[in-house]
Amino acid sequence: MRAIAYDRHGRAGQVLRLSERPAPAAPAAGQVRVRVLSRPVHPGDLAGVEGFPGAPRQRFATPRIPGLEGMGVVETVGDGVRELRAGQRVAFFPVPGAWSELVTAPADLVVPVPEDVGDETAALMLVNPLTLLSLLRAVEDAQHGQAGPVVQTAAGSSVGKLVSAAALRHGIPLVNLVRSATGAQALRQRFPGLPTVSTADADWRTQVKDATGGRGAQVVLDAVGGSLTGELAGLLADGGTLIAYGQLGSGSTPLESLALTPRALTVRGTSVLQWMTTRTPGERAEDVAFAARLAATAPELFEVAAGYDLADFAKAVDHVRRPGKSGTVLLTSPAP
Ligand SMILES: NC(=O)c1ccc[n+]([C@@H]2O[C@H](COP(=O)([O-])OP(=O)(O)OC[C@H]3O[C@@H](n4cnc5c(N)ncnc54)[C@H](OP(=O)(O)O)[C@@H]3O)[C@@H](O)[C@H]2O)c1
């Protein structure tokens, strides 16, 4: 089978290699083997390859295959697996090694794809909706029952659009922040009911303040971080919470430079990787059902920027980083 792997942290375009590798072992009891047809290239996948900021860069004796999410067709089922059968279309998360053509996974991490959900949507069906749920829960925790204005950065991202749609559905007073005038225009067209501000405008801080009714934000959902963090803390009302969930930006902001104590601000992180450990099996099943329903009823929220064959992974990585990209880049494999 083909797989993309890396043996040290570094720029994705430099350390990733495509190679032929032995197929994984036949599934043990409770496992299934899936022929992967499509998997997203999430910014977090690239951060994993490059090394997360603050964590040491490493070399690996055994090459690592990126990716935790994908869709494909069940090839073989192990003993005791009753809910899945060979030939069934499925999505999976979190299953390490999704950037290969075969994965062996515990059956409870593999979910049938509803008939009315296409392959491309199915490849994106889990991570972003589960991230949305974790962000909505973090916002609710931060609001202590008193809903106030929420600002989100990188609002034109795939996750950001899910947040916008959820805000409109649940009446959350959301202000969208993007980094360019063209990004702002595109988002205003998509979500005319939500104020959108571009940080390219000299007076963007005032625009955000006005959009929050002059109060400042109760919560900032931030996927950018880096040198923007101090600015975002400045947008919060006293007692507000900055929820960090991505690191698209560069630079850094020392914690000491934020007025955490005098303004009683909270800074916290959230990661979809905590989903497996923080949710009970029953809650996870409900979350997955939500994701599948959303994929079936609102496929426009699962936009695909482009698909590239595994062999063209370098082009896919470049595309992920292209400013103004809309939607998620997929890596595909031909069906056998
Ligand atoms: N914590 C978690 O569990 C979790 C899970 C999923 C995703 N995430 C994070 O969520 C974020 C969005 O992911 P996605 O897959 O939805 O992204 P995406 O669809 O690839 O979109 C990326 C967006 O970020 C914007 N952007 C890129 N660099 C930026 C910068 N330096 N400053 C401001 N904006 C910038 C782009 O704006 P332009 O249109 O201007 O290019 C684009 O709108 C990422 O940070 C990702 O790591 C976190």
Side-chain angles (χ1 to χ4, degrees):
M1 67 164 189
R2 297 183 305 165
I4 296 169
Y6 62 109
D7 61 7
R8 64 189 159 91
H9 285 132
R11 293 291 297 169
Q14 288 166 7
V15 300
L16 292 172
R17 299 269 179 276
L18 180 76
S19 58
E20 275 299 324
R21 301 167 70 90
Q31 294 184 329
V32 295
R33 185 151 86 177
V34 177
R35 178 157 293 276
V36 187
L37 299 179
S38 192
R39 57 303 258 162
V41 182
H42 289 298
D45 295 325
L46 298 182
V49 171
E50 302 194 339
F52 285 94
R57 299 281 185 276
Q58 291 179 300
R59 283 182 177 275
F60 308 105
T62 309
R64 293 183 164 197
I65 301 173
L68 296 170
E69 176 176 37
M71 72 78 55
V73 175
V74 175
E75 237 185 34
T76 328
V77 300
D79 287 345
V81 175
R82 314 226 178 286
E83 304 76 19
L84 299 166
R85 53 182 166 67
Q88 197 168 15
R89 263 184 347 130
V90 289
F92 56 82
F93 171 78
V95 176
W99 292 16
S100 61
E101 290 186 313
L102 290 167
V103 291
T104 298
D108 62 345
L109 303 184
V110 177
V111 300
V113 174
E115 258 180 37
D116 46 357
V117 172
D119 285 1
E120 287 193 337
T121 304
L124 301 174
M125 193 176 88
L126 296 173
V127 165
N128 288 350
L130 297 179
T131 301
L132 168 70
L133 291 176
S134 76
L135 295 178
L136 292 177
R137 287 178 190 125
V139 168
E140 203 177 330
D141 284 353
Q143 289 185 319
H144 310 298
Q146 291 183 333
V150 177
V151 172
Q152 70 159 339
T153 62
S157 72
S158 301
V159 172
K161 286 172 186 157
L162 288 175
V163 171
S164 289
L168 288 171
R169 202 165 47 245
H170 299 299
I172 298 169
L174 180 71
V175 180
N176 279 329
L177 201 55
V178 296
R179 63 174 167 177
S180 73
T182 44
Q185 199 182 1
L187 209 56
R188 284 186 200 115
Q189 268 170 10
R190 185 83 183 262
F191 298 103
L194 295 173
T196 298
V197 175
S198 161
T199 55
D201 292 351
D203 65 343
W204 69 271
R205 298 167 195 80
T206 314
Q207 290 185 44
V208 173
K209 187 103 182 175
D210 291 348
T212 61
R215 299 155 58 189
Q218 190 173 6
V219 180
V220 172
L221 282 175
D222 177 39
V224 175
S227 51
L228 192 66
T229 304
E231 302 274 10
L232 298 175
L235 300 178
L236 285 169
D238 287 0
T241 302
L242 174 68
I243 300 168
Y245 74 101
Q247 183 91 55
L248 292 163
S250 55
S252 62
T253 300
L255 202 56
E256 296 74 22
S257 69
L258 306 178
L260 298 183
T261 308
R263 300 191 50 222
L265 303 179
T266 301
V267 178
R268 62 160 291 189
T270 179
S271 166
V272 72
L273 298 178
Q274 306 294 320
W275 178 75
M276 281 300 293
T277 49
T278 56
R279 306 284 289 164
T280 65
E283 289 171 336
R284 291 205 303 268
E286 283 172 20
D287 291 351
V288 166
F290 163 82
R293 253 191 336 271
L294 194 64
T297 55
E300 70 282 1
L301 290 172
F302 297 76
E303 188 183 349
V304 171
Y308 295 88
D309 183 82
L310 274 184
D312 291 325
F313 68 87
K315 287 184 192 155
V317 167
D318 281 349
H319 195 158
V320 173
R321 299 216 160 98
R322 200 176 294 164
K325 166 188 72 74
S326 183
T328 303
V329 173
L330 300 180
L331 282 169
T332 60
S333 312

